[in-house]
Amino acid sequence: MNGNLRVGHHITGNNNTVGEIFLTQTSLNDLIAEQTERLLRIDRTNLKKHFKLFDGRRDIDEVFNDGNYKIWRSDLQQKSIINERGIIGACFDIIIKQKILLVVGEYGQGKTILTKMIQSHYIKLNMYTLFFNARDLIGILKEGHFENIWFDLCDGSNYPLYVFIDGIDELIFDNLIEDLIHSILSVIKMTENIYFIINSRIYLKIKLNNLIIKVEDFFSEQYYYNLEEESFCYIKMENFKKEQINALFDKLNNTHVYEKNLTIATIKGSYRHFINACKIPLFAYVIGNYYYKNDFRLVEKVSEMYNSFVSETIREKFLLEAKGAIGIKNFEQEYEKLLKVLATNMLKSSPDSVDYQGDKGLIDFNSTTFAFHAKLSDLANEAQKIYSDYNSKFHENKNADFINCYFFNMSGENKRDVVFSFTDDNTMCFLASKYAVDKMQYFMEEIYNISKDNERFKDIIDFFDGLCLHAIAIDFLIENIEIELQNNEIRKINLIENLKQFLQILFEDNFNGRYFFDKILGKIIIRIIFMKFYDGSYSLIEDNHFFKSFDILCKNAKAMELNGSHSREIEKHRYLIERYFMNCIFNDACFRRINLKFYNFQNSILNNCKFEQCKFYKNNWLHTQIKGNTKFDLCNFNDVNFEFELEGTLVIHDSIILNCELNDVIIGNNVIVFDNCRIANLGIRKLANEKRIRVLFKNSNIRNVAIYGYKITIGIVKSIFENEERIKIKNWSDVAIYIDDKTQVGFENDINSKYYYMENKDIMLEKSKGIDWRKL
């Protein structure tokens, strides 16, 4: 050790650099002195944005969330330790005892933020600190002076020094992990007043004596052998829980407009699947920051945010890790393609790893780590070829492990045992959707003449069938196709015309016994994409049997368990085909003899549609537009809330309506007609008294109708009310009533509501608006 180098207090304290470098002897090792000065120059602490989050608007302590961590002790077995002091206090305890703190976690879980928070606390306590990115130390580590610098820096000093090193996993590409760890342990063993706080992504593996060891286990073993300590404690980051996500959003809000604060409920109302991503603190911050910077609006398409994040991550990773690695930079596009193919493979091979639950529309991944994974031997030929090309080019390169990235992990002791997995399932779904869009590009470029004997037809069916009918992946797929078609009507026309050719070929093959049992998922996905982008008439599509054949395909997919094991519990199902009826335009569509349980028509337009002998249960009609002459005939409604806007005539004929509600329907001067229906437990509700609505009950059997808070005109013609029941009028309702002389019904109202029978002048006024109650 060159013990004659004295550096005074040339250490970061209170965010300032103080003191000078003093050389006490002429025989100093000039090289060590230069390296010491160089080390102090690359300290990140005094950078302007060091303690700010990446948008530069907030300090980390303004939005820091405590609790998404566990303390682990590595001895004979891994153990989780309960600590009640909070994470900063727990970290202080470990640092004092061990002189070294390791923080591990997946990407985006807040390792760097926690590390800087600890540093910030030490600075507030007037302690001396230094902060480095691990890659800043590569030169010093390679030159072999790392230990000497720290010995000389702290020699004779009575002041404790806290050294922070961020992202040591990046050193694996230069094969310097072991050198760093051994040097740190030597320094803390020989030097009294120095402490190290370092962090690493959790999937970092260290190769040692033909074994692959996790970074925390390697630290534990080396700590035991070098410092003769029996156990090693470290921090393991976790994803956010619901309360922590909302707490972060509260901290991001600086408007004090309570009713516009972002919550999980707000996000779920726009795009449910993004909740999973918000469990990762990085994405929770990104979406929250976007919301408060954009007039309390969420990003319209989540895929736009993922597209930017994923592409920038891949690009930055290559720029960083390709340094000094000949040929790797040129492999960037192939690497991204490999990730897309792997994502598609994993979704297809692990359908049971996603669970859809009931009418609540929840989409949750299993809690198992890496629920989606694939072995090299199980990959499709395309993925195996890309990986083999990559491996043959870079297997001797120290940087060859660069396939491990922020959201992707490759592990295994040898080539045969390689296992691929994603650390973020949403990113996996996004990449799978990008793979599909890439393959569909030519589908948008021109219109092809396709026949069922055409080789292209077979290839495309195989391609669609190779995708995964996975709710999140399909959501991303639709969004990414929308981006491709944006402001380009020709590409949209080409896509629709090519899909129509496929549908016609499939329908002509209807009586072939293989039709409903071959390539089922591919045929379903083609229909989903077609529905999302087609705005023409369905009357000529498959001779008006489009939705019936769609329903049969879906039932067969469930029966054959092609996309997960189907649960037969009434409130639990796995396919959610019904969600893809949202945000669609249905012109002249015929739904005949279909069980539409849970189907979601939110934000869709139904124009001149017919529903015949269909069953409805817990459907979503929020913001649906019903236009033209839409009719429900011989249908069964149970536990359905209608929330739609009517622009035309809506007739519900020969149907059963049980336990249903008309909630906030907007119908202008139009009428909802219940003709020859059996009605029990119908509520008509509105939160605010706005425009009057009109409902006609005709030739119906009615029991238990209640009106809450509505301006409503009711016509009752040739109907029967069981047991002389009364229509209940409550909550500031204003009800005008037309009854023919063949109907017997009573009314009861609370003190805040009123009702009155329409006189001839009122009937004539309605007639002037095109509504003749006597003829309806």
Side-chain angles (χ1 to χ4, degrees), residues 159-333:
Y159 297 94
L161 170 62
Y162 297 90
V163 181
F164 297 81
I165 304 177
D166 184 50
I168 66 167
D169 49 279
E170 296 290 353
L171 298 177
I172 194 170
F173 309 109
D174 297 272
N175 203 26
L176 292 171
I177 290 286
E178 293 177 57
D179 293 345
L180 175 68
I181 294 174
H182 288 145
S183 295
I184 287 174
L185 292 174
S186 295
V187 171
I188 63 176
K189 183 177 181 179
M190 302 296 295
T191 307
E192 183 176 353
N193 289 324
I194 192 167
Y195 303 85
F196 286 89
I197 299 90
I198 60 181
N199 66 55
S200 168
R201 275 174 273 171
I202 200 165
Y203 56 72
L204 172 61
K205 307 293 190 296
I206 298 171
K207 298 177 183 178
L208 185 66
N209 299 327
N210 295 322
L211 296 176
I212 297 178
I213 303 176
K214 293 188 292 186
V215 63
E216 56 268 32
D217 292 335
F218 185 79
F219 257 104
S220 178
E221 289 185 9
Q222 298 303 310
Y223 194 74
Y224 173 80
Y225 289 118
N226 284 274
L227 278 72
E228 300 179 354
E229 296 288 344
E230 293 184 358
S231 65
F232 178 76
C233 291
Y234 60 95
I235 301 294
K236 185 176 181 180
M237 306 298 292
E238 296 183 332
N239 286 337
F240 274 161
K241 296 180 176 62
K242 174 181 177 181
E243 296 77 14
Q244 293 161 345
I245 299 174
N246 283 331
L248 174 64
F249 292 155
D250 287 342
K251 290 181 179 179
L252 288 175
N253 174 41
N254 53 15
T255 65
H256 307 294
V257 183
Y258 177 79
E259 63 272 16
K260 291 187 177 181
N261 276 13
L262 184 61
T263 64
I264 288 179
T266 311
I267 296 174
K268 187 176 290 187
S270 298
Y271 20 77
R272 291 181 172 89
H273 59 265
F274 199 68
I275 293 297
N276 294 290
C278 280
K279 293 176 182 177
I280 301 172
L282 173 62
F283 274 99
Y285 180 85
V286 168
I287 191 66
N289 192 54
Y290 179 93
Y291 179 79
Y292 289 116
K293 284 179 65 179
N294 290 274
D295 299 324
F296 309 102
R297 291 183 294 107
L298 293 169
V299 61
E300 184 175 347
K301 292 181 175 64
V302 182
S303 56
E304 293 179 1
M305 187 175 294
Y306 270 92
N307 187 55
S308 175
F309 184 84
V310 171
S311 61
E312 287 301 317
T313 299
I314 291 174
R315 187 176 298 111
E316 289 301 319
K317 187 171 185 62
F318 270 79
L319 288 175
L320 183 67
E321 295 164 7
K323 291 180 179 178
I326 298 174
I328 283 186
K329 184 67 179 71
N330 299 327
F331 196 72
E332 178 178 349
Q333 291 182 344

Side-chain angles (χ1 to χ4, degrees), residues 591-594 611-615 633-636:
F591 300 80
R592 183 179 290 115
R593 294 183 180 179
I594 302 176
F611 294 84
E612 299 175 356
Q613 301 182 54
C614 294
K615 293 182 179 180
D633 201 4
L634 294 167
C635 293
N636 191 329

Side-chain angles (χ1 to χ4, degrees), residues 701-747:
N701 188 305
I702 304 170
R703 177 166 56 86
N704 192 19
V705 173
I707 301 167
Y708 304 88
Y710 249 125
K711 289 180 180 177
I712 183 170
T713 297
I714 296 179
I716 306 174
V717 178
K718 298 180 183 178
S719 295
I720 299 172
F721 284 79
E722 296 181 3
N723 303 321
E724 298 183 354
E725 281 199 11
R726 296 170 175 265
I727 293 179
K728 302 175 182 63
I729 302 172
K730 302 180 178 181
N731 295 22
W732 288 274
S733 293
D734 179 354
V735 182
I737 302 165
Y738 170 79
I739 305 179
D740 70 344
D741 55 8
K742 297 181 180 180
T743 300
Q744 298 294 321
V745 62
F747 299 88

Side-chain angles (χ1 to χ4, degrees), residues 54 71 161 194 358 427 441 465 468 471 570 592 696 745:
F54 57 82
I71 306 170
L161 170 62
I194 192 167
T427 306
Q441 286 298 322
D465 198 59
C468 177
I570 190 170
R592 183 179 290 115
L696 173 65
V745 62

Side-chain angles (χ1 to χ4, degrees), residues 449-468:
N449 292 318
I450 305 170
S451 68
K452 65 179 179 181
D453 299 322
N454 192 305
E455 191 65 27
R456 183 180 296 277
F457 174 78
K458 181 180 180 300
D459 290 343
I460 294 174
I461 287 292
D462 288 342
F463 158 68
F464 281 112
D465 198 59
L467 302 178
C468 177

Side-chain angles (χ1 to χ4, degrees), residues 18 52 96 111 184 225 289 306 399 464 508 542 616:
V18 295
K52 292 185 178 296
I96 292 172
K111 300 180 299 296
I184 287 174
Y225 289 118
N289 192 54
Y306 270 92
N399 290 10
F464 281 112
E508 289 173 356
E542 294 187 351
F616 296 87

